Amino acid sequence: PWGLVTLVGAGPGDAELLTLKAARVLGSAELVLYDHLVSDAVLAHIAPGAERIYVGKQSRNHTLPQEGIIELMVRLARQGRSLVRLKGGDPFVFGRGGEEAEGLAAAGIACETIPGISAAQGAAAATGIPLTHRETAGMLVYATGHLQGAQEDRTVQLDWEALARPWQTVVIYMGVGTLPVVCEQLVAHGLPETTPAALVERATLPEQRCIVGTVATLPSLGVRYGVKPPALIMIGEAVGRQVVPPGGAGMVSGPATA
Amino acid sequence: PWGLVTLVGAGPGDAELLTLKAARVLGSAELVLYDHLVSDAVLAHIAPGAERIYVGKQSRNHTLPQEGIIELMVRLARQGRSLVRLKGGDPFVFGRGGEEAEGLAAAGIACETIPGISAAQGAAAATGIPLTHRETAGMLVYATGHLQGAQEDRTVQLDWEALARPWQTVVIYMGVGTLPVVCEQLVAHGLPETTPAALVERATLPEQRCIVGTVATLPSLGVRYGVKPPALIMIGEAVGRQVVPPGGAGMVSGPATA
């Protein structure tokens, strides 16, 4: 019989943010394919005897293209091997889990999914920035700042009108490189320059840093503090409702309301 | 010394979707305040000797108003008692965690937060419906269908223009009662009637049901199958990319592409 593929969300970084189910599945796995953004502490939950295959990709340096990962999973599953596909965050939130499930289904391979805490949730909890708020943010929007298009013509394509609307919190994944464009476009599309905005680097990890400003000031703050990927951008009035938790949350520039 | 409050996300229902950190904190808690939507299987993670206080609220039957819950936490913390505030889903995604953290901070009580798998993520993983998809959904929007306003004038206030845009997945929390209005308004604001839409009842629990149709057909399907809260509405082309996992996911009406 062919093997089963389990897509597993590794969460935002802190290994304690794995779900009990993900930890159980990793602990009994025989074969795990894992990505670049999965931390060593998460990998430590994999059963000691299990085979591990690194299929990580960084923005400009794909170890295996997406199609190659699906082909590899199909080949292994057809050999009768069940496997865990471990992905940063949640497989269905910018994790390409949907494409992998489709590719597997097209080859007749069954697939199930275990969700993970997404980076936005990890960053919110670890910094005390709420994602929704009765008085200021009734909607929550996730978008990705990932550059799209061919090498020589890469740009960020986002629905600026949608993202510039009031009464919502916007979280941009993989947004460090495009932070200046994002802030400029949002203001150009009507978002007030005074709107609170935060940059959260390495959310939930000990080296987490949180830089808070406004959509007008955040790009220069990002440069001043040398923020590097992985980092998230959080934008909206709810960012101004931050309550910094005990421990300080890696605050670099003080909360927006300070 | 005053006590510390830990806001803990209980996840979408399945107790195995608690994070390791949430399970650890529940297991060592001495006092837990918990909500209506927290399942018995999650409560079973609370240390046997711990005191439990039910502060749940249902839509029309608030056991304790929000201000009362904050006052109770402040009073307990000022008695030197550390406590866990256990909330369904993620405390910062329609969980009013932000308001509770603010209320506690105003009273000088420290607060930290442990995120939880949100209902949308639980529903997506358990039904095989991706929340984002490279070809069809580059943004993910969470909104709430919760009725707002005074008793005699309750209505759902959503940014229909934003929700009717293409290239995104929209998830409406607490949307059973407002499903007809939601679908009608989205179509009136330009969303094609053929857009795939799903209703997921009791996501991640054994009795989960998943009803798939379009924004034109989902309201009548919801009535036909007698869907009751808690349930989520998922709308967008990505819903048509569903890959039903082994076990069937409680499919009632077949996937959108069938």
Side-chain angles (χ1 to χ4, degrees), chain B residues 50-67:
Chain B
E51 183 182 354
R52 302 175 187 199
I53 302 177
Y54 175 69
V55 294
K57 31 181 209 231
Q58 292 177 264
S59 284
R60 282 156 187 283
N61 181 18
H62 284 211
T63 298
L64 261 187
Q66 186 63 45
E67 300 69 30

Side-chain angles (χ1 to χ4, degrees), chain B residues 144-160:
Chain B
T144 171
H146 203 68
L147 295 170
Q148 293 166 354
Q151 284 294 80
E152 66 279 10
D153 190 32
R154 288 162 74 83
T155 180
V156 59
Q157 291 171 332
L158 288 169
D159 184 345
W160 302 116

Side-chain angles (χ1 to χ4, degrees), chain B residues 207-243:
Chain B
E207 61 271 26
Q208 168 181 297
R209 292 195 300 167
C210 177
I211 289 135
V212 180
T214 67
V215 287
T217 65
L218 199 63
S220 61
L221 289 170
V223 171
R224 185 194 305 171
Y225 292 109
V227 174
K228 292 190 182 61
L232 278 181
I233 314 170
M234 304 171 79
I235 299 164
E237 293 299 332
V239 175
R241 300 303 189 105
Q242 180 177 24
V243 176

Side-chain angles (χ1 to χ4, degrees), chain B residues 24-104:
Chain B
R24 172 174 63 78
V25 166
L26 288 177
S28 61
E30 293 181 2
L31 172 57
V32 179
L33 277 64
Y34 68 99
D35 270 347
H36 174 58
L37 282 178
V38 177
S39 68
D40 289 342
V42 168
L43 296 177
H45 283 272
I46 299 173
E51 183 182 354
R52 302 175 187 199
I53 302 177
Y54 175 69
V55 294
K57 31 181 209 231
Q58 292 177 264
S59 284
R60 282 156 187 283
N61 181 18
H62 284 211
T63 298
L64 261 187
Q66 186 63 45
E67 300 69 30
I69 295 173
I70 293 172
E71 282 169 23
L72 176 60
M73 290 195 287
V74 169
R75 196 162 65 239
L76 292 164
R78 284 186 171 166
Q79 290 166 6
R81 303 186 69 182
S82 285
L83 65 96
V84 168
R85 171 78 174 102
L86 184 61
K87 305 169 83 75
D90 185 304
F92 282 162
V93 179
F94 305 124
R96 307 188 74 163
E99 286 157 274
E100 297 191 4
E102 280 181 306
L104 292 165

Side-chain angles (χ1 to χ4, degrees), chain A residues 130-139 166-169 236-241, chain B residues 102:
Chain A
L131 294 168
T132 66
H133 193 289
R134 280 254 165 160
E135 290 167 23
T136 59
M139 300 206 319
W167 188 246
Q168 63 188 14
T169 304
E237 293 298 333
V239 175
R241 299 303 188 108
Chain B
E102 280 181 306

Side-chain angles (χ1 to χ4, degrees), chain A residues 132-215:
Chain A
T132 66
H133 193 289
R134 280 254 165 160
E135 290 167 23
T136 59
M139 300 206 319
L140 171 61
V141 181
Y142 294 164
T144 172
H146 204 68
L147 295 168
Q148 293 167 356
Q151 284 294 80
E152 66 280 8
D153 190 29
R154 288 162 72 85
T155 181
V156 59
Q157 292 169 331
L158 287 169
D159 184 345
W160 302 117
E161 278 179 47
L163 296 180
R165 297 179 85 89
W167 188 246
Q168 63 188 14
T169 304
V170 170
V171 182
I172 312 272
Y173 283 67
M174 297 179 285
V176 174
T178 49
L179 175 62
V181 179
V182 167
C183 290
E184 182 186 288
Q185 288 292 329
L186 291 181
V187 171
H189 285 79
L191 196 72
E193 285 200 339
T194 53
T195 305
L199 200 46
V200 185
E201 185 187 51
R202 302 188 71 75
T204 79
L205 295 173
E207 61 271 26
Q208 168 180 298
R209 291 195 300 167
C210 177
I211 289 134
V212 180
T214 66
V215 287

